[in-house]
Amino acid sequence: MLGKSTVTVHADRGIHPSHAVAPPIYQTAAFSAEDAAGFAAGAVEPRGRDFYTRFGNPNHAQVAAVVAALEGTEAAMVTASGMAALTTAVLALVSAGDHVIGQRSTYGGTASVLLNLLPRLGVSTTLVDQRDPEALEKALTARTRLILLETPSNPLLHITDLRAVAEVARAHDVLTLADNTFATPLNQRPADLGVDVVWHSATKYLNGHSDVSAGVLAGPADLLNRIWDTSLLTGATLGPIDAWLLLRGIRTLPLRVPRHNANGLALAEALSRHPAVRHVHYPGLAAHPQHQLAADQMDGFGGVLGIEFADGYESADAFLGHLRHPRRSASLGGVESLAVHPASMWAGMLSAEQLTEAVPPGLVRLAAGTEDTDDLVADALAAADSVRATAS
Ligand code: PLP
């Protein structure tokens, strides 16, 4: 079997209609057909690449080939954002009257799909604590069709036992859809553990340069064909230039992820010993209650950590203000470190009550970039010192 760096560079080779070493950008909304039969065939070819860009495009197909190779799935497809991947998949896989299970700790947009969008469409939902393997099984009903998973979760870094959940779901004929954004296929391959469909905010680590909004879905061709059918109606199509940029970003994913992992771990270890910090959430810490599970199903623990300050929101905000390298921004997964106060960031998607349930008010999410480890650690410790000096 080829290594991850090799497939990341070469898995799309067969989809280069030209001999250009760097793939051309197919900046076209439509493709022409030679005859009526060719046109009719193009209109129904799932995830095709030369009919109409909303149906597919060579730049989409190249990204999909690399993502499927990395995730170890039969197929993959791209969308205009991570949320487009999620909503398209969910709309394809559930109908009014069905029941969906999700996690209590999950990205705010996913939480809002579960708490607000789906109930409005007649789909009931239950959110469970993913740290309790039995809670999920107990939430199953005769109407459950889908389980939404996210591990490590944003921003509390809770871990879901993917193998255990996939087994229970299979036994009950329920599909699983896992958000692999935080881990990336370098650190975790949910499909290998039995998950049906994997999705990403490709805006984050897959692209890695904070310059593209994109999503991907990876899984068996039959399920992706169902999702592709719905994507023709939701129409959240990734532009060819953005698909091209995404492919360029993905090429270096295997080089970037080990640095993100090293920086995340070093920051977590240093900050967890700082007196101004009440708690650091990071699954790579031996003290993390689910460290063993994380170590069993992951090859690295990622670049994101959650930091809770002893003095709540004021300290969290002061820490963000004192950081020199990480900027205050809503994203993560790029080469540059970013930090954010999740409770402020998600106020547009969740009600005040839903927010209180989802995240502690004093939590900072720090996403380590690929800068030098010593520089990031020194900066974070100096910012934590300033918090302490202000509070005392
Ligand atoms: N999943 C996770 C874990 C995220 O952090 C985000 C965005 O922050 C999303 C999904 C949504 O992705 P996008 O912003 O690309 O729509």
Side-chain angles (χ1 to χ4, degrees), residues 3 8 26-27 130 144 205 217 285 312 341 363:
T8 306
Y26 290 82
Q27 187 59 30
Q130 64 268 41
T144 310
Y205 291 103
L217 289 145
L285 290 177
H341 178 236
L363 187 84

Side-chain angles (χ1 to χ4, degrees), residues 134-321:
E134 282 164 26
L136 210 130
E137 192 161 9
K138 282 197 207 122
L140 285 168
T141 74
R143 305 294 321 206
T144 310
R145 294 285 168 272
L146 184 65
I147 303 176
L148 300 187
L149 304 167
E150 183 182 313
T151 181
S153 68
N154 183 0
L156 288 174
L157 289 303
H158 289 172
I159 305 296
T160 313
D161 186 338
L162 290 175
R163 201 189 298 272
V165 174
E167 210 175 287
V168 170
R170 284 261 150 103
H172 290 84
D173 215 9
V174 171
L175 291 172
T176 45
L177 181 60
D179 183 340
N180 204 27
T181 301
F182 269 33
T184 85
L186 268 293
N187 285 334
Q188 172 175 277
R189 300 217 303 179
D192 288 354
L193 304 172
V195 165
D196 293 302
V197 179
V198 179
W199 70 283
H200 285 259
S201 167
T203 315
K204 310 294 190 305
Y205 291 103
L206 292 188
N207 179 60
H209 296 79
S210 306
D211 51 10
V212 166
S213 169
V216 298
L217 289 145
D222 61 337
L223 281 177
L224 284 201
N225 291 351
R226 277 170 67 189
I227 298 170
W228 174 80
D229 270 342
T230 300
S231 81
L232 301 185
L233 310 180
T234 53
T237 309
L238 188 64
I241 291 179
D242 283 352
W244 184 90
L245 277 169
L246 174 56
L247 182 66
R248 189 166 83 159
I250 292 177
R251 296 280 196 228
T252 56
L253 183 72
L255 301 176
R256 288 183 275 113
V257 168
R259 176 63 78 92
H260 287 292
N261 290 343
N263 283 349
L265 182 60
L267 283 164
E269 281 174 345
L271 286 167
S272 64
R273 289 192 292 265
H274 196 281
V277 174
R278 178 188 291 150
H279 189 69
V280 173
H281 304 256
Y282 185 73
L285 290 177
H288 187 282
Q290 295 179 290
H291 175 65
Q292 195 49 53
L293 171 60
D296 288 346
Q297 69 182 18
M298 302 179 79
D299 295 324
F301 304 104
V304 182
L305 49 148
I307 310 155
E308 273 186 67
F309 285 87
D311 293 313
Y313 175 77
E314 306 298 319
S315 302
D317 188 49
F319 177 72
L320 285 165

